[in-house]
Amino acid sequence: MEHGAVTADFLGLTFNLSNVLMITVSSVIVFLIAVLATRSLSMRPGGMQNFLEWVVDFVKGIINSTMDWHTGGRFLALGLTLIMYIFVSNMLGLPFAVAVDHNLWWKSPTADPTITLTLAVMVVALSHYYGVRMKGVKEYGAEFFKPMKFLFPLKIIEEFANTLTLGLRLYGNIFAGEMLLALLVSLSHSGIFAGVLGIFPMIIWQGFSVFVGAIQAFIFTMLTMVYLAHKVSHDH
């Protein structure tokens, strides 16, 4: 159950090579899906193009539910990338895990808090960037003192809380799912009878984990758009 991680130092920073590998794999898969779905576009979509157009419409619905399209249309590419990348990342560790010399190499990258918190920091930073860009420094800064000035410290705490909850929610759900799968797999080492009994719960939990992974990708994307809407919309 206990696995280590292979690390490497570069420019004074320590990198988890398993995370680097799985981030790269997730990125390549999302890139290939996008390329395959758009390489031969037609007015009557089918197959991969039909799937991607459904995802685009789904993300448009998320954006329209949080802000008007004139404001939120610019975030379509961000939302599309996030929901596809996080979903693919959530799925990678479900079929199997690969450990070499007790070092875990193949897993879901979102089962590591470093990855999920990095995504959360990126989202919150982008929300501040677009808030300043679309409202200006003066108007955007004034939002932190509304409706009353003494609430400013709470607004700062809220920004940190949003970052932590956004990242840790995703990490907690995916990590817990993979840990339970590992426990069910370990039943097979307890004997033939226990192994047979463990097959059915494992299949059921894998199916449920696919559902959880999809829901978490949706929640992360939805909250991203909510945070952006709060920063860039004048009616929030």
Side-chain angles (χ1 to χ4, degrees):
M1 292 294 294
E2 292 294 331
H3 296 290
V6 179
T7 60
D9 295 326
F10 181 70
L11 297 178
L13 300 175
T14 301
F15 293 88
N16 185 321
L17 296 185
S18 173
N19 286 346
V20 174
L21 171 64
M22 299 314 299
I23 289 171
T24 304
V25 171
S26 299
S27 301
V28 170
I29 291 175
V30 172
F31 176 76
L32 289 177
I33 291 174
V35 171
L36 292 174
T38 58
R39 63 177 180 174
S40 55
L41 297 177
S42 62
M43 295 301 296
R44 293 184 177 181
M48 290 291 291
Q49 181 184 342
N50 197 36
F51 165 74
L52 190 60
E53 289 191 6
W54 175 81
V55 177
V56 170
D57 288 338
F58 184 74
V59 175
K60 282 183 177 179
I62 293 176
I63 295 173
N64 285 326
S65 68
T66 57
M67 66 190 101
D68 63 275
W69 183 250
H70 177 74
T71 302
R74 71 195 71 206
F75 305 125
L76 176 60
L78 172 64
L80 186 62
T81 302
L82 279 177
I83 199 167
M84 291 180 65
Y85 180 80
I86 293 174
F87 176 76
V88 169
S89 296
N90 292 348
M91 296 299 107
L92 289 180
L94 289 183
F96 53 84
V98 177
V100 179
D101 296 330
H102 300 290
N103 292 317
L104 189 61
W105 282 94
W106 187 279
K107 62 176 183 177
S108 294
T110 44
D112 190 301
T114 305
I115 306 300
T116 58
L117 287 172
T118 300
L119 288 171
V121 169
M122 178 197 73
V123 165
V124 173
L126 275 176
S127 70
H128 290 298
Y129 167 76
Y130 278 104
V132 172
R133 180 178 176 182
M134 298 178 67
K135 289 184 176 181
V137 176
K138 184 177 181 180
E139 182 181 353
Y140 180 70
E143 296 289 336
F144 287 88
F145 297 92
K146 295 180 180 179
M148 291 171 283
K149 292 183 178 181
F150 70 85
L151 293 177
F152 173 73
L154 295 180
K155 293 290 186 74
I156 299 300
I157 294 174
E158 181 185 19
E159 296 301 321
F160 286 101
N162 287 341
T163 305
L164 287 174
T165 54
L166 186 62
L168 294 180
R169 181 189 298 108
L170 176 59
Y171 157 69
N173 280 275
I174 304 307
F175 178 75
E178 292 194 359
M179 287 298 293
L180 184 54
L181 282 175
L183 287 172
L184 291 173
V185 170
S186 67
L187 286 177
S188 62
H189 301 291
S190 303
I192 297 177
F193 182 72
V196 172
L197 288 180
I199 290 177
F200 299 103
M202 184 171 63
I203 293 175
I204 293 172
W205 185 254
Q206 280 190 321
F208 182 69
S209 294
V210 172
F211 172 75
V212 170
I215 289 296
Q216 289 304 313
F218 164 73
I219 291 175
F220 195 98
T221 306
M222 170 64 81
L223 289 177
T224 295
M225 296 306 157
V226 169
Y227 295 158
L228 286 167
H230 285 170
K231 302 301 183 184
V232 303
S233 298
H234 291 275
D235 56 345
H236 282 84

